[in-house]
Amino acid sequence: MALKITVIGTGYLGATHAAAMAELGFEVLGLDIVPEKIEMLSAGRVPMYEPGLEELLKAHVAGIEGSTGRLRFTTSYAEAGAFGDVHFICVNTPQKHGEYACDMSYVDAAVESLAPCLERAALVVGKSTVPVGSADRLAQRLAELAPAGDEVELAWNPEFLREGFAVQDTLHPDRIVVGVRSEHAEKVLREVYATPMAEGSPLVVTDFPTSELVKTAANSFLATKISFINAMAEVCEAAGGDVAKLAEAIGHDDRIGAKFLRAGIGFGGGCLPKDIRAFMARAGELGADQALTFLREVDSINMRRRGHMVELARDAVGGAFLGKRVAVLGATFKPDSDDVRDSPALNVAGQIHLQGGQVTVYDPKGMDNARRVFPTLGYADSAVEAARGADVVLHLTEWREFRELDPAALAEVVSRRLILDGRNALDATTWRSAGWTYRAMGRPRA
Ligand code: UGA
C-alpha cells in the first residue's frame, strides 16, 4: 500500500512539501494550528506568493474541480496521527528575540502535540532547520510520548528549497539528505523519494548530527560566498576596480563557480541571516565557537552593506536626506517572493526614512507584507509612481519588472536622473544613454 503522508506546518516549506508529495502520488494531509491558513489552503489558495505553488495545490486539493483529491488539510493532531505513515515536520525556527540562537518552540510543540497521537507505526521526519543535537533530543521525546513505542521512529531530512523556486527545488532536488538510525527508516524515505531519485537526485544517507549540520553548513557557505564578493566590492570601491567584472572572471573557474557572486546590498530573508547566527550560537554551546568566528565577519560584512547603501544615497542627494524624495524599487529580500523578513531593501528604506528622507516604496509582490512591517513608509502602486518627483531612485530588489523599466519614461517623472543599483542587476549602458547618472556598488563611477 502506498504510504500516507502528513505535513505539519504549512508555511513556505510545508505548503510546498505537501503539494509536492501529492504530485508524487501520495495521499497527503497537511496540518497547521492556524485555522485561517487551513481554510485558505483547503480552498486551493496559497497564503504567500510562490511561483507555481497555487497551480500545484489546485491540482491536488480535495474538493477542487478537476483535482486528484489527494491533498487535504486539518488542524487536528489526532487526525494526523491516525492518518500518517510518515509525518514531516516543516514548522519554522526563527531567531530568538535578542539572541543569536534559534527558537525551537514550534518544533518542540509539533513533536509534543503529535507524539501522543501516534498509536501505530510511523516515521516522523524533521525538515525544519535546527541546531545540531536536536534530532537526538526529539527522538528521546518521541520514545517517551508515543503510545506505539518502538514502532515510532525519527529521521532527519533537511530541506534546501529556495523561495521563488520552491516547487522546482522540491520536485527535483539537487540532493536528498537523510539522517537515519535504522535500515527501516532509510527504506521508507527511499520510497517517499523514489521518483526524484529515479530522475537522478542523489541520496546521501548519514547520521542525525551530520544531517542537521549539512543544512547549516550549506547556508553558511552560501552566506560566506555572498559576503566574500561584497568584501571584494568594498576593496574595488577603494581601488577603483569593478566587482561585477571581477566576479565574472573568477566565476569562470569551475572550482569557484559563477553563482552567488552578485555583489550588492547583501543577503537577507528568513534563512541565511538567522542560520549563520544560530550556527555560531550552537557551536559556542558545543565549545567549538572558534571554528565559526569567521561567520561573525560574514555577518558584519553583510550588515555593513545596508549602511553603505544608505551612505551612497545620502552622498548622492547632497549629504542629508532632509526634504529629499527617495524612490525605493523593491521591498522583498529577493525577487519572485513576497517575503520581507530581514529584507535588506526594507532595512535601507527604513534607515533613510529615519534620517528624514521622504521614502516611497514599490514592490511587485511585497507591498502588503512591507506595509505591515513598516507602516510609516510611503508606498506607491507602480515604479513610475514611486519615482515621481524623486531626487534619487534606489534599485534594491532585482525584479525582472525593474530590469524592463524604460529609463526614458522614468526620466519624465523624476526630479533628478540619478539611480543607484543596490543589486548590480540593471544595464548601466541603457540607463546612462537615457541621460541618467547610474551608480552601482563596487563599480567605477564612469
Ligand atoms: C536559502 C538557500 O539558498 C536555500 O538553499 C535554503 O534551502 C534556504 O535558504 C533555507 O534555508 O530555507 P532563500 O532564503 O530562499 O534560500 O534565498 P537565497 O536565494 O539563498 O538568497 C538569499 C539572499 O542572498 C537574498 O537576499 C539574495 O538577494 C542574496 N544574494 C543571493 C545576494 O546578495 N547575492 C547573490 O549572489 C545571491
Side-chain angles (χ1 to χ4, degrees):
M1 261 230 327
L3 294 168
K4 289 189 171 170
I5 290 178
T6 81
V7 175
I8 295 162
T10 57
Y12 286 96
L13 169 57
T16 313
H17 194 67
M21 288 293 121
E23 173 78 8
L24 293 180
F26 299 103
E27 295 283 322
V28 184
L29 182 64
L31 180 150
D32 205 289
I33 53 169
V34 181
E36 293 77 23
K37 266 198 201 172
I38 292 307
E39 263 170 48
M40 270 190 94
L41 290 163
S42 300
R45 284 183 295 127
V46 180
M48 61 269 182
Y49 175 72
E50 181 61 46
L53 181 53
E54 195 147 299
E55 291 79 347
L56 194 67
L57 202 69
K58 285 203 161 86
H60 299 294
V61 172
I64 292 190
E65 212 189 307
S67 82
T68 63
R70 287 198 287 262
L71 177 55
R72 290 184 304 111
F73 293 94
T74 184
T75 53
S76 159
Y77 272 102
E79 194 184 342
F83 177 87
D85 301 303
V86 183
H87 303 277
F88 282 101
I89 296 185
C90 296
V91 295
N92 67 339
T93 51
Q95 188 176 339
K96 268 192 193 162
H97 197 68
E99 277 181 55
Y100 269 15
C102 87
D103 177 356
M104 284 290 287
S105 61
Y106 302 109
V107 176
D108 289 342
V111 170
E112 301 283 323
S113 308
L114 175 69
C117 302
L118 298 176
E119 293 180 1
R120 64 183 185 87
L123 184 66
V124 178
V125 185
K127 272 201 157 305
S128 308
T129 301
V130 295
V132 59
S134 303
D136 188 39
R137 179 173 65 75
L138 294 167
Q140 284 174 35
R141 275 314 273 160
L142 270 182
E144 284 159 19
L145 295 172
D150 288 355
E151 289 195 278
V152 172
E153 224 194 305
L154 184 74
W156 215 260
N157 169 219
E159 180 56 52
F160 306 101
L161 67 79
R162 298 159 296 168
E163 287 179 24
F165 298 90
V167 170
Q168 149 89 13
D169 286 351
T170 307
L171 288 173
H172 312 285
D174 54 12
R175 80 283 211 192
I176 299 159
V177 177
V178 297
V180 290
R181 280 189 170 162
S182 75
E183 277 177 20
H184 170 72
E186 179 183 335
K187 189 175 147 281
V188 171
L189 286 164
R190 281 182 182 274
E191 206 173 320
V192 169
Y193 292 116
T195 307
M197 281 170 60
E199 283 174 6
S201 293
L203 176 77
V204 180
V205 181
T206 181
D207 51 32
F208 281 1
T210 310
S211 65
E212 293 165 311
L213 285 168
V214 167
K215 171 66 193 220
T216 26
N219 276 2
S220 297
F221 192 87
L222 295 171
T224 303
K225 210 171 172 192
I226 300 168
S227 277
F228 173 84
I229 202 64
N230 280 329
M232 293 306 110
E234 286 187 20
V235 180
C236 280
E237 269 179 32
D242 181 340
V243 74
K245 278 282 162 213
L246 183 143
E248 183 190 336
I250 63 172
H252 284 304
D253 183 331
D254 273 354
R255 295 168 302 173
I256 296 174
K259 290 181 185 158
F260 268 63
L261 282 183
R262 179 168 289 159
I265 56 172
F267 59 80
C271 301
L272 299 193
K274 68 109 177 149
D275 284 356
I276 60 170
R277 291 173 194 154
F279 199 16
M280 285 187 269
R282 184 65 186 135
E285 287 168 5
L286 294 169
D289 41 341
Q290 240 191 334
L292 299 186
T293 45
F294 75 96
L295 287 179
R296 219 171 265 284
E297 201 50 44
V298 166
D299 199 4
S300 88
I301 291 168
N302 189 55
M303 296 310 283
R304 210 151 65 216
R305 302 306 286 165
R306 303 174 182 191
H308 186 51
M309 185 73 221
V310 175
E311 279 163 27
L312 286 179
R314 196 173 44 227
D315 288 350
V317 297
F321 284 119
L322 222 57
K324 301 290 181 187
R325 300 178 83 93
V326 181
V328 168
L329 303 185
T332 53
F333 84 106
K334 67 186 236 183
D336 299 317
S337 165
D338 65 357
D339 195 347
V340 301
R341 283 178 294 171
D342 200 1
S343 164
L346 263 194
N347 183 304
V348 167
Q351 287 191 51
I352 294 175
H353 168 72
L354 290 175
Q355 292 182 28
Q358 289 179 43
V359 180
T360 308
V361 180
Y362 167 70
D363 188 278
K365 296 284 178 198
M367 300 291 273
D368 291 344
N369 287 338
R371 270 200 196 94
R372 223 166 285 139
V373 181
F374 270 110
T376 50
L377 295 176
Y379 291 93
D381 291 335
S382 68
V384 172
E385 282 315 308
R388 199 170 290 284
D391 296 289
V392 62
V393 177
L394 310 186
H395 174 243
L396 302 185
T397 312
E398 69 277 34
W399 287 92
R400 170 193 285 265
E401 180 178 329
F402 300 147
R403 286 197 295 283
E404 289 172 352
L405 278 174
D406 175 8
L410 216 62
E412 300 282 311
V413 301
V414 293
S415 164
R416 275 179 71 205
R417 295 178 192 187
L418 175 58
I419 185 156
L420 306 186
D421 186 358
R423 291 295 182 182
N424 271 313
L426 301 175
D427 183 39
T429 319
T430 314
W431 286 82
R432 284 181 180 139
S433 52
W436 286 77
T437 301
Y438 168 93
R439 283 185 201 146
M441 302 176 88
R443 303 179 76 179
R445 290 201 165 187

